[in-house]
Amino acid sequence: MKKITIAIDGHSSCGKSTMAKNLAEELGYLYVDTGAMYRAVTLYALQNGMMDSESKQIDEARLEKAIGQINIRQEQVNGKVTTFLNGTCVEEEIRQMRVSSCVSPIAALGFVRRQLVAWQQQMGEQGGVVMDGRDIGTTVFPNAELKIFVTASAKVRAQRRLLELQAKGDTSLTLEEVLKNVEERDYIDSHREVSPLVQAKDARLLDNSELTIGQQNEIVLKWAHDAIGQ
Ligand code: DC
């Protein structure tokens, strides 16, 4: 059967990765979480004193020098896609608020995007891949056979994110704080100069504010089978 490329883009915390993971599993495709790659670079910058988490100042010259040497890998560990930074598992750390609140300025840097886009294109060059992010259908794989743009209201997304953090034992944040972070990231992601978050002209729109994960999976699996059959 033909192995296609599936690009899933959309706003923060709208369930893109759950959708992409489930779809990749159903189809037996490789799943790539590109947000985790930007998060790993952010963690690297924080750990190496190249970014100040308070002022969000970045030492761009040092980061640009180092970027080609950073090793980011994603592997299945106990059935879960897990991110490694220079050989160390960073899956937990890259989801923490310290990284979430610093990742958008890092993802807005042209040299960071150029490097990560190149790595992502290498990972997907054989097809048979489901990749989620912000610029997959517009920049990474403009010729992807299926493009999906996912969204949900900011309030619904903040509620989901809060539940996720609480399930991990983080009860330090209020709904208002999480909502503020979601809205800030939406703004920066959609207004940056390089590859801003926009729906590709040929992407199918899915608003999942009112959908269960099961309903969402059903819709996208049908879209995938339609695209594979063409
Ligand atoms: O999907 P996520 O929340 O893990 O993404 C983290 C950040 O990385 C988010 O602020 C947007 C950015 N990002 C991006 O600019 N391009 C991508 N392809 C993926 C993520």
Side-chain angles (χ1 to χ4, degrees):
M1 208 188 291
K2 184 170 86 170
K3 290 218 164 199
I4 65 167
T5 299
I6 302 178
I8 301 186
D9 292 303
H11 292 106
S12 302
S13 307
C14 65
K16 284 188 307 294
S17 33
T18 306
M19 174 197 290
K21 257 181 256 173
N22 292 343
L23 192 55
E25 215 174 281
E26 281 285 342
L27 299 170
Y29 281 17
L30 173 73
Y31 163 61
V32 180
D33 174 355
T34 65
M37 298 172 75
Y38 287 93
R39 287 171 181 272
V41 173
T42 305
L43 180 63
Y44 177 88
L46 289 168
Q47 283 175 339
N48 290 281
M50 296 175 186
M51 182 173 197
D52 182 86
S53 58
E54 286 299 311
S55 66
K56 313 276 191 277
Q57 284 276 93
I58 302 166
D59 187 337
E60 291 185 32
R62 275 184 66 212
L63 183 59
E64 185 165 10
K65 246 186 165 169
I67 188 103
Q69 315 306 320
I70 304 177
N71 182 278
I72 301 168
R73 232 173 355 102
Q74 286 180 354
E75 253 179 44
Q76 290 267 355
V77 177
N78 300 326
K80 256 193 80 187
V81 178
T82 305
T83 305
F84 292 82
L85 170 63
N86 292 332
T88 303
C89 173
V90 292
E91 193 51 43
E92 295 258 309
E93 247 179 307
I94 59 170
R95 309 288 165 193
Q96 286 166 358
M97 205 57 176
R98 180 168 86 115
V99 171
S100 297
S101 63
C102 290
V103 63
S104 282
I106 292 280
L109 296 172
F111 66 85
V112 171
R113 302 204 70 83
R114 276 191 293 281
Q115 179 64 76
L116 294 198
V117 167
W119 284 334
Q120 290 153 12
Q121 287 171 335
Q122 277 170 17
M123 290 180 200
E125 67 191 354
Q126 310 290 332
V129 66
V130 181
M131 199 170 278
D132 87 56
R134 304 293 189 290
D135 59 342
I136 312 304
T138 50
T139 305
V140 183
F141 292 116
N143 298 320
E145 288 89 344
L146 175 60
K147 298 180 186 177
I148 303 173
F149 191 87
V150 199
T151 192
S153 74
K155 186 106 185 273
V156 166
R157 288 185 282 135
Q159 271 159 346
R160 290 178 186 161
R161 185 88 195 98
L162 187 68
L163 286 177
E164 226 172 77
L165 288 167
Q166 286 169 347
K168 285 182 190 156
D170 184 351
T171 52
S172 62
L173 296 164
T174 63
L175 179 63
E176 286 65 36
E177 286 166 323
V178 179
L179 181 61
K180 190 164 164 267
N181 175 255
V182 164
E183 287 174 340
E184 267 171 17
R185 283 205 284 158
D186 281 357
Y187 186 85
I188 302 179
D189 293 343
S190 330
H191 289 81
R192 65 176 175 231
E193 262 178 51
V194 196
S195 297
L197 171 67
V198 281
Q199 182 180 347
K201 282 196 190 74
D202 49 351
R204 307 189 74 152
L205 178 67
L206 188 85
D207 183 329
N208 66 14
S209 306
E210 311 270 328
L211 295 178
T212 64
I213 291 177
Q215 289 168 328
Q216 159 173 296
N217 287 348
E218 225 174 276
I219 294 170
V220 297
L221 188 60
K222 179 169 183 320
W223 287 351
H225 283 309
D226 290 348
I228 292 167
Q230 270 168 17

